[in-house]
Amino acid sequence: MFSAAEEIIKLKEVTEWTYPVLHRGRQWYVDFQAYDPARGKMRRKKFQLDRYKTRKAKVAMGMELIAALVQKLKAGWNPWVNAGKTRQFTPWEHVMERYRQYLETAVGKNQLKAKTAYDYKSRLKGLEQYQEETGNRIGQVSQFCHEWVADYLDYLIYDKDVSARTRNNHRTWLSTLGAWLVERRYMTVNPVEDIRMLREEEKKRDPLSHRQLRQLKEYLEKENPRFLLCCMMVYYANIRPEELRNIRLGDISIEHQTVTVRAEISKNRRTQTVGLHDSVIRLMIALKTFDGTTNQDYLFGDDLRPGRQQAYINRFRLEWKKVRQALRWDDRFQFYSLKDSGIRDGINAMGLVTARDQARHSDVAVTNLYAKRAKEPEEQTKHWGGEL
């Protein structure tokens, strides 16, 4: 029979670590012993808690840290073997602050689109709200695990009643966040990789009929001609909504009837020039778009007039919602439906290849089926008979 002391020694030989302990006093910290194979003996590992200001915060963080440490130690983690390779016990709040800074810097260096960064921050805010509502908080990065992510996605589906598409969009973002954490050594494995996507229903967006386009034009000519110009830019020039809010007056040539979508604002990161339809030019002139402005002014500012401050990120969508309600249209007709309609009508009026170039499609599988893109916009793009 082994004595109690012998049993403890045998346990250490098997586990090679001791249970973490919270120490309180002049200094607050959590420590434990772990076997260092390089030195051939047990070594003490210590985590300071003095940066937390209140006693309550120190106790809470200490308990969370102990739970996370035990979980990792039982899974075979050794602080001396993995030292320097991971920062998995870094407080989650600190890492997310760095993540927000990364998003802002990436936008400033044109590595990430402003709308993408806005969407990521919005999803991060939803993640934080979930922790507030449920109490299922992440203390250290290591707690951002497969089980936690699965619980959060289930919460979106069952508690928030979001669609499968919305849930999958969140899952995709969480995977990019996991990849970011792995790349910076906060984690060794992306916990989202093994979580499957759900089957989605067909995308809920339809193009507008010719009757609806005429109805839209008649309504906006009376109620909001500046928003009519927004709609025309999407329909005739196939400018995406996020690109549209970044178009400056200097990107437009009245002489050549063109608009250039710069690489830094384009979805495909390529600078491309497309034709501006006669109707678009006439409306720009009627609205005195270029009077008293500079080339640096945005085409659509705060009030949809040219200005130094661009339209806010959801302005077009909110204006479209007002129009849709006024015309009593179903919500499957979205602002982006104008682009679908414009491409459809452009193919019928100009032919498939010219319409493809006007839409700036960059999918290789599609592009390779057709002739090489022309260097200059076709004249047809400026004069064809559209319905808007």
Side-chain angles (χ1 to χ4, degrees), residues 12 15-23 29-35 42-47 65-66 68-70 72-74 77-80 89:
K12 285 187 176 182
T15 61
E16 299 185 332
W17 54 270
T18 62
Y19 271 81
V21 176
L22 173 62
H23 298 268
Y29 60 92
V30 170
D31 73 347
F32 65 97
Q33 297 277 337
Y35 180 76
M42 300 288 283
R43 285 179 61 196
R44 180 188 181 206
K45 182 68 176 177
K46 182 177 178 181
F47 295 86
L65 178 57
I66 288 173
L69 285 170
V70 170
K72 290 295 180 181
L73 288 165
K74 285 183 176 180
W77 172 73
N78 185 311
W80 311 124
F89 297 113

Side-chain angles (χ1 to χ4, degrees), residues 344-355:
R344 175 202 64 198
D345 295 344
I347 290 172
N348 292 333
M350 303 179 293
L352 185 60
V353 174
T354 302

Side-chain angles (χ1 to χ4, degrees), residues 268-285:
N268 61 17
R269 298 298 183 185
R270 295 166 58 195
T271 296
Q272 293 173 288
T273 300
V274 297
L276 282 180
H277 194 274
D278 297 324
S279 300
V280 177
I281 296 295
R282 285 196 294 268
L283 183 55
M284 284 182 172
I285 294 172

Side-chain angles (χ1 to χ4, degrees), residues 144-160:
F144 182 70
C145 58
H146 178 106
E147 293 78 11
W148 193 95
V149 174
D151 287 345
Y152 174 62
L153 293 174
D154 285 347
Y155 159 85
L156 293 175
I157 284 285
Y158 301 119
D159 296 327
K160 290 296 185 180

